[in-house]
Amino acid sequence: MDKKVIITGVAALILAGTTVVGLRGWDSSDQEIDKLKAQLEVLQQKDKRSAVLQSVSKQMEEIAYEQKKISDEQREEAEEQTKVANEMRQRSEEERHNAIIAQQKALESERMALDAYDLAESQRKVAEENRRAAEALSYLALGRSLGALALTQFRAGNQEIGDLLSYASYLYTERYQGDLYYPAIYQALSQSSQSKDEWSRHSDAVYNLEFLPKSDYQLVSCSSYGEILYHEVNGNQLKTTTLFKDKSYDFRDVLINQKTGIIYAISRNGYLYIKNGKDVKLLEVPLVRPSKLQTCLDERYLLLTGETNLALFDQTTQTIVGTKDLDYKVVLSARLEHMPLLFDDKGRMHLFKDLNHIETRKVPVSGQITAFASSNSSGLEAYGMKDGTIYLYEPNGSIRKLVGHRSRISRIRIYQNRLFTSSYDGTINLWIATSEKIEPITLYTSNNWILYFTYDRSKNYLWLGDQKGNLSQVLISVPLMVERIKRKLKRNFTKDEWNYYIGENIPYESFISPKGKEAKR
């Protein structure tokens, strides 16, 4: 095809297309114009709103600016207030710190003041204690002096003034917590209370006394004249009943079973007396001159001691169940650690545990021992000698020699810190083991040998028997002595007597009321 023709055709097509497009564009332009008008209106409205919004925004911005300005002012004011508050807090902290320092200084001053007060109070108390101690020593010395004066008056036969002096001696000693067992004081009380009773009951020497179970008023005694007597105490009266009497026997010991009440007595001629209720029998025992009865082996058995042999008696079957010959002579029977203790004639002692077990050791003192006692509670041991000397062994190992008796010591008993001893010189002495210087206090004096003594369960009275067959009761309780003396007093000291014996500088006291009763102090 011709090229020209082709070009002409194409141009015609383009023109036709352009025409069609132009017609369509015309229509479309009108629509666009309407659309743009509509948009213009919308934009005009938006512009109006935008102007409003801008106006509002400007107003809001102005308000916000004002609020910011106010806020800045408030912040600045708050910062200023904070600064002021910090300054005040700092001043307050400094003042609190200063107050604490001042309080500490005040407390230190108070402590120093209290220390000074305590020191002054302590010095005052020491001075007061020294004054009281000096006063106590003065009154204790007075008490001892009055006791000695009382004894002098008793020896001169002036019982009434002696009673007043002995009571005053007790009063000042007790008030200032002194030693009521000081010899002069105790002996004055003992003599003033007249605290001894004596009864002649046996025909010959009394070798033992034993209280019945749970009784301080019923006891049994035995003698070398073959007598076994039962006694009941009523005040200063003694009612006596003969249980057995045969001079062919020589009873040396009596023992009462504290559970069954059975009475046993051993005779030197080899017989054991047994009284069970109304049933009485005499059992011959295979011993050489027996002299002692002791419980052993949990108290079921009795150990019967002869001079050269032993026998074991069963209290349940009432029979001899064993014997043992000894290669030594027994000179004294006592007890140690709740067991029988035997002293021989060769300076030895033997602790009995059973017939086949006897421990032997050397006696720690030289000479013939005639009495022995020990205390499990205090640990004291005492050895009495034939010459009247007593050796006291203390738990710390020290040994003290007690001198006061003039002849053979017959018996020793230990109760707490007190040592009671009797002698053939006819006296019973009391020794206070805790005293710095142990001196004897004579409780009882007789012209006869004292062979045996014991005390009742209350530890108020000593009971003793002598070689002449006498029984004696001796009051050893200080409170009971004082009660007796109070009842005896018939009058008070006169003012002249008070000034002479007690002293003008001591406040006067009445010991009894006008009606005869003890005056209240």
Side-chain angles (χ1 to χ4, degrees), residues 291-292 294 305-307 328-335 340-345 348-350 368-373 382-384 408-412:
S291 61
K292 190 68 177 177
Q294 296 189 74
T305 305
E307 283 189 355
Y328 49 82
K329 179 182 178 181
V330 177
V331 296
L332 174 66
S333 296
R335 291 188 77 79
L341 181 68
L342 312 176
F343 291 83
D344 66 19
D345 57 348
R348 300 174 301 176
M349 53 188 186
H350 312 269
Q368 184 177 343
I369 297 175
T370 57
F372 173 83
Y383 297 82
R408 177 190 182 105
I409 304 299
S410 57
R411 184 159 168 80
I412 302 174

PDB file of all heavy atoms in Angstrom, residues 291-292 294 305-307 328-335 340-345 348-350 368-373 382-384 408-412:
ATOM      1  N   SER A 291      27.990 -56.950 174.308  1.00  0.00           N
ATOM      2  CA  SER A 291      27.692 -55.658 174.932  1.00  0.00           C
ATOM      3  C   SER A 291      26.967 -54.673 174.017  1.00  0.00           C
ATOM      4  O   SER A 291      26.602 -53.586 174.484  1.00  0.00           O
ATOM      5  CB  SER A 291      29.005 -55.001 175.405  1.00  0.00           C
ATOM      6  OG  SER A 291      29.862 -54.783 174.295  1.00  0.00           O
ATOM      7  N   LYS A 292      26.750 -55.028 172.744  1.00  0.00           N
ATOM      8  CA  LYS A 292      26.195 -54.038 171.829  1.00  0.00           C
ATOM      9  C   LYS A 292      25.236 -54.656 170.827  1.00  0.00           C
ATOM     10  O   LYS A 292      25.466 -55.755 170.318  1.00  0.00           O
ATOM     11  CB  LYS A 292      27.334 -53.330 171.072  1.00  0.00           C
ATOM     12  CG  LYS A 292      26.895 -52.118 170.279  1.00  0.00           C
ATOM     13  CD  LYS A 292      26.443 -50.981 171.179  1.00  0.00           C
ATOM     14  CE  LYS A 292      26.063 -49.741 170.392  1.00  0.00           C
ATOM     15  NZ  LYS A 292      25.559 -48.651 171.247  1.00  0.00           N
ATOM     16  N   GLN A 294      23.183 -53.478 167.204  1.00  0.00           N
ATOM     17  CA  GLN A 294      23.095 -52.461 166.157  1.00  0.00           C
ATOM     18  C   GLN A 294      22.346 -53.012 164.955  1.00  0.00           C
ATOM     19  O   GLN A 294      22.499 -54.187 164.610  1.00  0.00           O
ATOM     20  CB  GLN A 294      24.491 -52.003 165.701  1.00  0.00           C
ATOM     21  CG  GLN A 294      25.313 -51.307 166.771  1.00  0.00           C
ATOM     22  CD  GLN A 294      26.571 -50.705 166.189  1.00  0.00           C
ATOM     23  OE1 GLN A 294      26.525 -49.689 165.508  1.00  0.00           O
ATOM     24  NE2 GLN A 294      27.705 -51.340 166.456  1.00  0.00           N
ATOM     25  N   THR A 305      27.402 -57.796 169.146  1.00  0.00           N
ATOM     26  CA  THR A 305      28.856 -57.696 169.243  1.00  0.00           C
ATOM     27  C   THR A 305      29.343 -58.196 170.599  1.00  0.00           C
ATOM     28  O   THR A 305      28.912 -57.699 171.650  1.00  0.00           O
ATOM     29  CB  THR A 305      29.311 -56.235 169.058  1.00  0.00           C
ATOM     30  OG1 THR A 305      28.802 -55.740 167.821  1.00  0.00           O
ATOM     31  CG2 THR A 305      30.832 -56.132 169.056  1.00  0.00           C
ATOM     32  N   GLY A 306      30.237 -59.194 170.547  1.00  0.00           N
ATOM     33  CA  GLY A 306      30.920 -59.666 171.747  1.00  0.00           C
ATOM     34  C   GLY A 306      32.346 -59.159 171.745  1.00  0.00           C
ATOM     35  O   GLY A 306      32.779 -58.444 170.843  1.00  0.00           O
ATOM     36  N   GLU A 307      33.110 -59.538 172.745  1.00  0.00           N
ATOM     37  CA  GLU A 307      34.496 -59.062 172.823  1.00  0.00           C
ATOM     38  C   GLU A 307      35.362 -59.623 171.713  1.00  0.00           C
ATOM     39  O   GLU A 307      36.245 -58.934 171.208  1.00  0.00           O
ATOM     40  CB  GLU A 307      35.100 -59.412 174.190  1.00  0.00           C
ATOM     41  CG  GLU A 307      34.625 -58.498 175.309  1.00  0.00           C
ATOM     42  CD  GLU A 307      35.407 -58.727 176.598  1.00  0.00           C
ATOM     43  OE1 GLU A 307      36.245 -59.661 176.625  1.00  0.00           O
ATOM     44  OE2 GLU A 307      35.190 -57.978 177.563  1.00  0.00           O
ATOM     45  N   TYR A 328      40.855 -60.116 167.261  1.00  0.00           N
ATOM     46  CA  TYR A 328      41.151 -58.968 168.105  1.00  0.00           C
ATOM     47  C   TYR A 328      40.031 -58.816 169.126  1.00  0.00           C
ATOM     48  O   TYR A 328      38.970 -59.448 169.016  1.00  0.00           O
ATOM     49  CB  TYR A 328      41.289 -57.691 167.274  1.00  0.00           C
ATOM     50  CG  TYR A 328      40.149 -57.460 166.292  1.00  0.00           C
ATOM     51  CD1 TYR A 328      38.945 -56.885 166.700  1.00  0.00           C
ATOM     52  CD2 TYR A 328      40.290 -57.824 164.954  1.00  0.00           C
ATOM     53  CE1 TYR A 328      37.904 -56.680 165.804  1.00  0.00           C
ATOM     54  CE2 TYR A 328      39.255 -57.619 164.052  1.00  0.00           C
ATOM     55  CZ  TYR A 328      38.066 -57.046 164.472  1.00  0.00           C
ATOM     56  OH  TYR A 328      37.042 -56.851 163.598  1.00  0.00           O
ATOM     57  N   LYS A 329      40.279 -57.974 170.100  1.00  0.00           N
ATOM     58  CA  LYS A 329      39.295 -57.704 171.142  1.00  0.00           C
ATOM     59  C   LYS A 329      38.595 -56.387 170.855  1.00  0.00           C
ATOM     60  O   LYS A 329      39.241 -55.362 170.662  1.00  0.00           O
ATOM     61  CB  LYS A 329      39.985 -57.654 172.516  1.00  0.00           C
ATOM     62  CG  LYS A 329      39.031 -57.356 173.668  1.00  0.00           C
ATOM     63  CD  LYS A 329      39.792 -57.285 174.983  1.00  0.00           C
ATOM     64  CE  LYS A 329      38.860 -56.940 176.139  1.00  0.00           C
ATOM     65  NZ  LYS A 329      39.604 -56.849 177.430  1.00  0.00           N
ATOM     66  N   VAL A 330      37.274 -56.420 170.813  1.00  0.00           N
ATOM     67  CA  VAL A 330      36.490 -55.210 170.570  1.00  0.00           C
ATOM     68  C   VAL A 330      36.392 -54.415 171.877  1.00  0.00           C
ATOM     69  O   VAL A 330      35.938 -54.930 172.900  1.00  0.00           O
ATOM     70  CB  VAL A 330      35.076 -55.549 170.047  1.00  0.00           C
ATOM     71  CG1 VAL A 330      34.245 -54.269 169.882  1.00  0.00           C
ATOM     72  CG2 VAL A 330      35.159 -56.312 168.725  1.00  0.00           C
ATOM     73  N   VAL A 331      36.827 -53.147 171.827  1.00  0.00           N
ATOM     74  CA  VAL A 331      36.781 -52.301 173.021  1.00  0.00           C
ATOM     75  C   VAL A 331      35.703 -51.217 172.919  1.00  0.00           C
ATOM     76  O   VAL A 331      35.355 -50.593 173.924  1.00  0.00           O
ATOM     77  CB  VAL A 331      38.147 -51.639 173.284  1.00  0.00           C
ATOM     78  CG1 VAL A 331      39.188 -52.711 173.591  1.00  0.00           C
ATOM     79  CG2 VAL A 331      38.589 -50.784 172.105  1.00  0.00           C
ATOM     80  N   LEU A 332      35.177 -51.008 171.702  1.00  0.00           N
ATOM     81  CA  LEU A 332      34.148 -49.980 171.517  1.00  0.00           C
ATOM     82  C   LEU A 332      33.373 -50.274 170.243  1.00  0.00           C
ATOM     83  O   LEU A 332      33.954 -50.667 169.227  1.00  0.00           O
ATOM     84  CB  LEU A 332      34.789 -48.577 171.405  1.00  0.00           C
ATOM     85  CG  LEU A 332      33.846 -47.419 171.058  1.00  0.00           C
ATOM     86  CD1 LEU A 332      32.855 -47.167 172.180  1.00  0.00           C
ATOM     87  CD2 LEU A 332      34.636 -46.139 170.738  1.00  0.00           C
ATOM     88  N   SER A 333      32.049 -50.104 170.308  1.00  0.00           N
ATOM     89  CA  SER A 333      31.188 -50.243 169.129  1.00  0.00           C
ATOM     90  C   SER A 333      30.505 -48.904 168.869  1.00  0.00           C
ATOM     91  O   SER A 333      29.982 -48.272 169.791  1.00  0.00           O
ATOM     92  CB  SER A 333      30.132 -51.328 169.345  1.00  0.00           C
ATOM     93  OG  SER A 333      30.729 -52.596 169.502  1.00  0.00           O
ATOM     94  N   ALA A 334      30.522 -48.469 167.609  1.00  0.00           N
ATOM     95  CA  ALA A 334      29.901 -47.191 167.234  1.00  0.00           C
ATOM     96  C   ALA A 334      29.300 -47.354 165.837  1.00  0.00           C
ATOM     97  O   ALA A 334      29.065 -48.471 165.381  1.00  0.00           O
ATOM     98  CB  ALA A 334      30.944 -46.072 167.274  1.00  0.00           C
ATOM     99  N   ARG A 335      29.034 -46.228 165.175  1.00  0.00           N
ATOM    100  CA  ARG A 335      28.477 -46.279 163.821  1.00  0.00           C
ATOM    101  C   ARG A 335      29.192 -45.257 162.951  1.00  0.00           C
ATOM    102  O   ARG A 335      29.606 -44.187 163.401  1.00  0.00           O
ATOM    103  CB  ARG A 335      26.982 -46.003 163.817  1.00  0.00           C
ATOM    104  CG  ARG A 335      26.162 -47.100 164.451  1.00  0.00           C
ATOM    105  CD  ARG A 335      24.675 -46.885 164.259  1.00  0.00           C
ATOM    106  NE  ARG A 335      24.194 -47.209 162.930  1.00  0.00           N
ATOM    107  CZ  ARG A 335      23.962 -48.447 162.512  1.00  0.00           C
ATOM    108  NH1 ARG A 335      24.201 -49.490 163.313  1.00  0.00           N
ATOM    109  NH2 ARG A 335      23.503 -48.661 161.292  1.00  0.00           N
ATOM    110  N   PRO A 340      27.778 -50.429 161.342  1.00  0.00           N
ATOM    111  CA  PRO A 340      28.517 -50.655 162.593  1.00  0.00           C
ATOM    112  C   PRO A 340      30.011 -50.430 162.408  1.00  0.00           C
ATOM    113  O   PRO A 340      30.595 -50.794 161.382  1.00  0.00           O
ATOM    114  CB  PRO A 340      28.205 -52.117 162.927  1.00  0.00           C
ATOM    115  CG  PRO A 340      26.909 -52.401 162.231  1.00  0.00           C
ATOM    116  CD  PRO A 340      26.971 -51.612 160.956  1.00  0.00           C
ATOM    117  N   LEU A 341      30.636 -49.815 163.413  1.00  0.00           N
ATOM    118  CA  LEU A 341      32.076 -49.557 163.408  1.00  0.00           C
ATOM    119  C   LEU A 341      32.650 -50.088 164.709  1.00  0.00           C
ATOM    120  O   LEU A 341      32.208 -49.707 165.794  1.00  0.00           O
ATOM    121  CB  LEU A 341      32.343 -48.050 163.264  1.00  0.00           C
ATOM    122  CG  LEU A 341      33.805 -47.621 163.219  1.00  0.00           C
ATOM    123  CD1 LEU A 341      34.474 -48.113 161.934  1.00  0.00           C
ATOM    124  CD2 LEU A 341      33.921 -46.101 163.331  1.00  0.00           C
ATOM    125  N   LEU A 342      33.645 -50.972 164.607  1.00  0.00           N
ATOM    126  CA  LEU A 342      34.246 -51.614 165.773  1.00  0.00           C
ATOM    127  C   LEU A 342      35.678 -51.119 165.964  1.00  0.00           C
ATOM    128  O   LEU A 342      36.457 -51.062 165.010  1.00  0.00           O
ATOM    129  CB  LEU A 342      34.253 -53.142 165.596  1.00  0.00           C
ATOM    130  CG  LEU A 342      32.922 -53.781 165.146  1.00  0.00           C
ATOM    131  CD1 LEU A 342      33.104 -55.276 164.919  1.00  0.00           C
ATOM    132  CD2 LEU A 342      31.835 -53.514 166.163  1.00  0.00           C
ATOM    133  N   PHE A 343      36.014 -50.754 167.200  1.00  0.00           N
ATOM    134  CA  PHE A 343      37.383 -50.370 167.546  1.00  0.00           C
ATOM    135  C   PHE A 343      38.012 -51.514 168.342  1.00  0.00           C
ATOM    136  O   PHE A 343      37.361 -52.065 169.253  1.00  0.00           O
ATOM    137  CB  PHE A 343      37.387 -49.092 168.374  1.00  0.00           C
ATOM    138  CG  PHE A 343      36.972 -47.863 167.604  1.00  0.00           C
ATOM    139  CD1 PHE A 343      35.633 -47.566 167.419  1.00  0.00           C
ATOM    140  CD2 PHE A 343      37.927 -47.012 167.066  1.00  0.00           C
ATOM    141  CE1 PHE A 343      35.243 -46.433 166.712  1.00  0.00           C
ATOM    142  CE2 PHE A 343      37.547 -45.882 166.358  1.00  0.00           C
ATOM    143  CZ  PHE A 343      36.200 -45.588 166.176  1.00  0.00           C
ATOM    144  N   ASP A 344      39.263 -51.850 168.020  1.00  0.00           N
ATOM    145  CA  ASP A 344      39.914 -52.955 168.728  1.00  0.00           C
ATOM    146  C   ASP A 344      40.995 -52.428 169.677  1.00  0.00           C
ATOM    147  O   ASP A 344      41.177 -51.209 169.821  1.00  0.00           O
ATOM    148  CB  ASP A 344      40.482 -53.990 167.744  1.00  0.00           C
ATOM    149  CG  ASP A 344      41.626 -53.437 166.893  1.00  0.00           C
ATOM    150  OD1 ASP A 344      42.225 -52.407 167.264  1.00  0.00           O
ATOM    151  OD2 ASP A 344      41.922 -54.035 165.843  1.00  0.00           O
ATOM    152  N   ASP A 345      41.693 -53.347 170.305  1.00  0.00           N
ATOM    153  CA  ASP A 345      42.718 -52.984 171.280  1.00  0.00           C
ATOM    154  C   ASP A 345      44.089 -52.847 170.648  1.00  0.00           C
ATOM    155  O   ASP A 345      45.102 -52.767 171.356  1.00  0.00           O
ATOM    156  CB  ASP A 345      42.761 -54.045 172.398  1.00  0.00           C
ATOM    157  CG  ASP A 345      43.022 -55.447 171.855  1.00  0.00           C
ATOM    158  OD1 ASP A 345      42.947 -55.640 170.612  1.00  0.00           O
ATOM    159  OD2 ASP A 345      43.286 -56.353 172.664  1.00  0.00           O
ATOM    160  N   ARG A 348      43.120 -50.102 165.754  1.00  0.00           N
ATOM    161  CA  ARG A 348      42.471 -50.188 164.452  1.00  0.00           C
ATOM    162  C   ARG A 348      40.959 -50.057 164.612  1.00  0.00           C
ATOM    163  O   ARG A 348      40.413 -50.257 165.696  1.00  0.00           O
ATOM    164  CB  ARG A 348      42.793 -51.521 163.777  1.00  0.00           C
ATOM    165  CG  ARG A 348      44.266 -51.775 163.520  1.00  0.00           C
ATOM    166  CD  ARG A 348      44.507 -53.176 162.984  1.00  0.00           C
ATOM    167  NE  ARG A 348      44.030 -54.192 163.926  1.00  0.00           N
ATOM    168  CZ  ARG A 348      44.047 -55.498 163.690  1.00  0.00           C
ATOM    169  NH1 ARG A 348      44.540 -55.959 162.537  1.00  0.00           N
ATOM    170  NH2 ARG A 348      43.596 -56.351 164.581  1.00  0.00           N
ATOM    171  N   MET A 349      40.308 -49.718 163.500  1.00  0.00           N
ATOM    172  CA  MET A 349      38.842 -49.696 163.490  1.00  0.00           C
ATOM    173  C   MET A 349      38.368 -50.468 162.265  1.00  0.00           C
ATOM    174  O   MET A 349      39.023 -50.487 161.207  1.00  0.00           O
ATOM    175  CB  MET A 349      38.293 -48.268 163.499  1.00  0.00           C
ATOM    176  CG  MET A 349      38.815 -47.342 162.428  1.00  0.00           C
ATOM    177  SD  MET A 349      38.231 -45.643 162.734  1.00  0.00           S
ATOM    178  CE  MET A 349      38.809 -44.808 161.249  1.00  0.00           C
ATOM    179  N   HIS A 350      37.183 -51.102 162.413  1.00  0.00           N
ATOM    180  CA  HIS A 350      36.695 -52.051 161.421  1.00  0.00           C
ATOM    181  C   HIS A 350      35.250 -51.691 161.054  1.00  0.00           C
ATOM    182  O   HIS A 350      34.357 -51.694 161.917  1.00  0.00           O
ATOM    183  CB  HIS A 350      36.755 -53.474 161.974  1.00  0.00           C
ATOM    184  CG  HIS A 350      38.066 -53.811 162.623  1.00  0.00           C
ATOM    185  ND1 HIS A 350      39.117 -54.372 161.945  1.00  0.00           N
ATOM    186  CD2 HIS A 350      38.505 -53.623 163.914  1.00  0.00           C
ATOM    187  CE1 HIS A 350      40.148 -54.545 162.775  1.00  0.00           C
ATOM    188  NE2 HIS A 350      39.789 -54.091 163.978  1.00  0.00           N
ATOM    189  N   GLN A 368      43.848 -44.631 173.830  1.00  0.00           N
ATOM    190  CA  GLN A 368      42.691 -45.514 173.945  1.00  0.00           C
ATOM    191  C   GLN A 368      41.411 -44.728 173.687  1.00  0.00           C
ATOM    192  O   GLN A 368      41.067 -43.809 174.421  1.00  0.00           O
ATOM    193  CB  GLN A 368      42.637 -46.162 175.337  1.00  0.00           C
ATOM    194  CG  GLN A 368      41.490 -47.160 175.468  1.00  0.00           C
ATOM    195  CD  GLN A 368      41.491 -47.859 176.814  1.00  0.00           C
ATOM    196  OE1 GLN A 368      42.494 -47.852 177.526  1.00  0.00           O
ATOM    197  NE2 GLN A 368      40.364 -48.474 177.160  1.00  0.00           N
ATOM    198  N   ILE A 369      40.700 -45.140 172.632  1.00  0.00           N
ATOM    199  CA  ILE A 369      39.441 -44.482 172.272  1.00  0.00           C
ATOM    200  C   ILE A 369      38.312 -45.108 173.075  1.00  0.00           C
ATOM    201  O   ILE A 369      38.149 -46.340 173.111  1.00  0.00           O
ATOM    202  CB  ILE A 369      39.174 -44.603 170.766  1.00  0.00           C
ATOM    203  CG1 ILE A 369      40.258 -43.874 169.989  1.00  0.00           C
ATOM    204  CG2 ILE A 369      37.808 -44.034 170.405  1.00  0.00           C
ATOM    205  CD1 ILE A 369      40.156 -44.019 168.507  1.00  0.00           C
ATOM    206  N   THR A 370      37.506 -44.249 173.702  1.00  0.00           N
ATOM    207  CA  THR A 370      36.392 -44.735 174.519  1.00  0.00           C
ATOM    208  C   THR A 370      35.032 -44.283 174.001  1.00  0.00           C
ATOM    209  O   THR A 370      34.006 -44.747 174.494  1.00  0.00           O
ATOM    210  CB  THR A 370      36.556 -44.245 175.970  1.00  0.00           C
ATOM    211  OG1 THR A 370      36.632 -42.815 175.989  1.00  0.00           O
ATOM    212  CG2 THR A 370      37.823 -44.818 176.594  1.00  0.00           C
ATOM    213  N   ALA A 371      35.007 -43.378 173.001  1.00  0.00           N
ATOM    214  CA  ALA A 371      33.743 -42.914 172.419  1.00  0.00           C
ATOM    215  C   ALA A 371      34.014 -42.382 171.019  1.00  0.00           C
ATOM    216  O   ALA A 371      35.107 -41.859 170.737  1.00  0.00           O
ATOM    217  CB  ALA A 371      33.100 -41.825 173.283  1.00  0.00           C
ATOM    218  N   PHE A 372      33.016 -42.526 170.146  1.00  0.00           N
ATOM    219  CA  PHE A 372      33.156 -42.037 168.765  1.00  0.00           C
ATOM    220  C   PHE A 372      31.785 -41.630 168.249  1.00  0.00           C
ATOM    221  O   PHE A 372      30.761 -42.232 168.588  1.00  0.00           O
ATOM    222  CB  PHE A 372      33.745 -43.125 167.862  1.00  0.00           C
ATOM    223  CG  PHE A 372      33.748 -42.750 166.395  1.00  0.00           C
ATOM    224  CD1 PHE A 372      34.764 -41.970 165.870  1.00  0.00           C
ATOM    225  CD2 PHE A 372      32.710 -43.147 165.562  1.00  0.00           C
ATOM    226  CE1 PHE A 372      34.759 -41.605 164.529  1.00  0.00           C
ATOM    227  CE2 PHE A 372      32.703 -42.793 164.224  1.00  0.00           C
ATOM    228  CZ  PHE A 372      33.732 -42.021 163.701  1.00  0.00           C
ATOM    229  N   ALA A 373      31.764 -40.579 167.416  1.00  0.00           N
ATOM    230  CA  ALA A 373      30.531 -40.166 166.747  1.00  0.00           C
ATOM    231  C   ALA A 373      30.895 -39.493 165.436  1.00  0.00           C
ATOM    232  O   ALA A 373      31.982 -38.909 165.298  1.00  0.00           O
ATOM    233  CB  ALA A 373      29.708 -39.213 167.617  1.00  0.00           C
ATOM    234  N   ALA A 382      34.298 -37.269 165.620  1.00  0.00           N
ATOM    235  CA  ALA A 382      34.851 -36.941 166.939  1.00  0.00           C
ATOM    236  C   ALA A 382      35.297 -38.222 167.632  1.00  0.00           C
ATOM    237  O   ALA A 382      34.566 -39.219 167.655  1.00  0.00           O
ATOM    238  CB  ALA A 382      33.816 -36.213 167.792  1.00  0.00           C
ATOM    239  N   TYR A 383      36.506 -38.188 168.193  1.00  0.00           N
ATOM    240  CA  TYR A 383      37.079 -39.312 168.926  1.00  0.00           C
ATOM    241  C   TYR A 383      37.266 -38.892 170.378  1.00  0.00           C
ATOM    242  O   TYR A 383      37.961 -37.908 170.671  1.00  0.00           O
ATOM    243  CB  TYR A 383      38.433 -39.712 168.327  1.00  0.00           C
ATOM    244  CG  TYR A 383      38.365 -40.195 166.900  1.00  0.00           C
ATOM    245  CD1 TYR A 383      38.323 -39.285 165.844  1.00  0.00           C
ATOM    246  CD2 TYR A 383      38.342 -41.548 166.594  1.00  0.00           C
ATOM    247  CE1 TYR A 383      38.260 -39.716 164.524  1.00  0.00           C
ATOM    248  CE2 TYR A 383      38.284 -41.999 165.283  1.00  0.00           C
ATOM    249  CZ  TYR A 383      38.243 -41.079 164.252  1.00  0.00           C
ATOM    250  OH  TYR A 383      38.186 -41.509 162.948  1.00  0.00           O
ATOM    251  N   GLY A 384      36.630 -39.625 171.296  1.00  0.00           N
ATOM    252  CA  GLY A 384      36.789 -39.372 172.724  1.00  0.00           C
ATOM    253  C   GLY A 384      37.801 -40.324 173.333  1.00  0.00           C
ATOM    254  O   GLY A 384      37.799 -41.525 173.028  1.00  0.00           O
ATOM    255  N   ARG A 408      37.608 -40.100 181.511  1.00  0.00           N
ATOM    256  CA  ARG A 408      37.170 -40.898 180.370  1.00  0.00           C
ATOM    257  C   ARG A 408      35.891 -40.350 179.721  1.00  0.00           C
ATOM    258  O   ARG A 408      34.900 -40.067 180.394  1.00  0.00           O
ATOM    259  CB  ARG A 408      36.923 -42.334 180.858  1.00  0.00           C
ATOM    260  CG  ARG A 408      36.402 -43.300 179.823  1.00  0.00           C
ATOM    261  CD  ARG A 408      35.978 -44.596 180.504  1.00  0.00           C
ATOM    262  NE  ARG A 408      35.504 -45.581 179.547  1.00  0.00           N
ATOM    263  CZ  ARG A 408      36.206 -46.644 179.164  1.00  0.00           C
ATOM    264  NH1 ARG A 408      37.417 -46.860 179.659  1.00  0.00           N
ATOM    265  NH2 ARG A 408      35.698 -47.504 178.299  1.00  0.00           N
ATOM    266  N   ILE A 409      35.917 -40.213 178.394  1.00  0.00           N
ATOM    267  CA  ILE A 409      34.731 -39.827 177.633  1.00  0.00           C
ATOM    268  C   ILE A 409      33.871 -41.079 177.444  1.00  0.00           C
ATOM    269  O   ILE A 409      34.339 -42.100 176.922  1.00  0.00           O
ATOM    270  CB  ILE A 409      35.106 -39.233 176.257  1.00  0.00           C
ATOM    271  CG1 ILE A 409      36.061 -38.048 176.429  1.00  0.00           C
ATOM    272  CG2 ILE A 409      33.850 -38.801 175.503  1.00  0.00           C
ATOM    273  CD1 ILE A 409      35.497 -36.894 177.217  1.00  0.00           C
ATOM    274  N   SER A 410      32.606 -40.998 177.859  1.00  0.00           N
ATOM    275  CA  SER A 410      31.737 -42.175 177.787  1.00  0.00           C
ATOM    276  C   SER A 410      30.837 -42.183 176.561  1.00  0.00           C
ATOM    277  O   SER A 410      30.435 -43.258 176.090  1.00  0.00           O
ATOM    278  CB  SER A 410      30.875 -42.266 179.056  1.00  0.00           C
ATOM    279  OG  SER A 410      30.112 -41.080 179.237  1.00  0.00           O
ATOM    280  N   ARG A 411      30.494 -41.000 176.034  1.00  0.00           N
ATOM    281  CA  ARG A 411      29.603 -40.958 174.869  1.00  0.00           C
ATOM    282  C   ARG A 411      29.720 -39.605 174.174  1.00  0.00           C
ATOM    283  O   ARG A 411      29.957 -38.578 174.808  1.00  0.00           O
ATOM    284  CB  ARG A 411      28.150 -41.213 175.280  1.00  0.00           C
ATOM    285  CG  ARG A 411      27.180 -41.283 174.089  1.00  0.00           C
ATOM    286  CD  ARG A 411      25.917 -42.017 174.493  1.00  0.00           C
ATOM    287  NE  ARG A 411      24.836 -41.904 173.530  1.00  0.00           N
ATOM    288  CZ  ARG A 411      24.722 -42.614 172.411  1.00  0.00           C
ATOM    289  NH1 ARG A 411      25.691 -43.489 172.111  1.00  0.00           N
ATOM    290  NH2 ARG A 411      23.697 -42.467 171.602  1.00  0.00           N
ATOM    291  N   ILE A 412      29.541 -39.644 172.829  1.00  0.00           N
ATOM    292  CA  ILE A 412      29.542 -38.433 172.010  1.00  0.00           C
ATOM    293  C   ILE A 412      28.347 -38.486 171.059  1.00  0.00           C
ATOM    294  O   ILE A 412      28.059 -39.530 170.476  1.00  0.00           O
ATOM    295  CB  ILE A 412      30.847 -38.300 171.188  1.00  0.00           C
ATOM    296  CG1 ILE A 412      32.077 -38.279 172.109  1.00  0.00           C
ATOM    297  CG2 ILE A 412      30.815 -37.046 170.313  1.00  0.00           C
ATOM    298  CD1 ILE A 412      33.394 -38.298 171.348  1.00  0.00           C
TER     299      ILE A 412
END
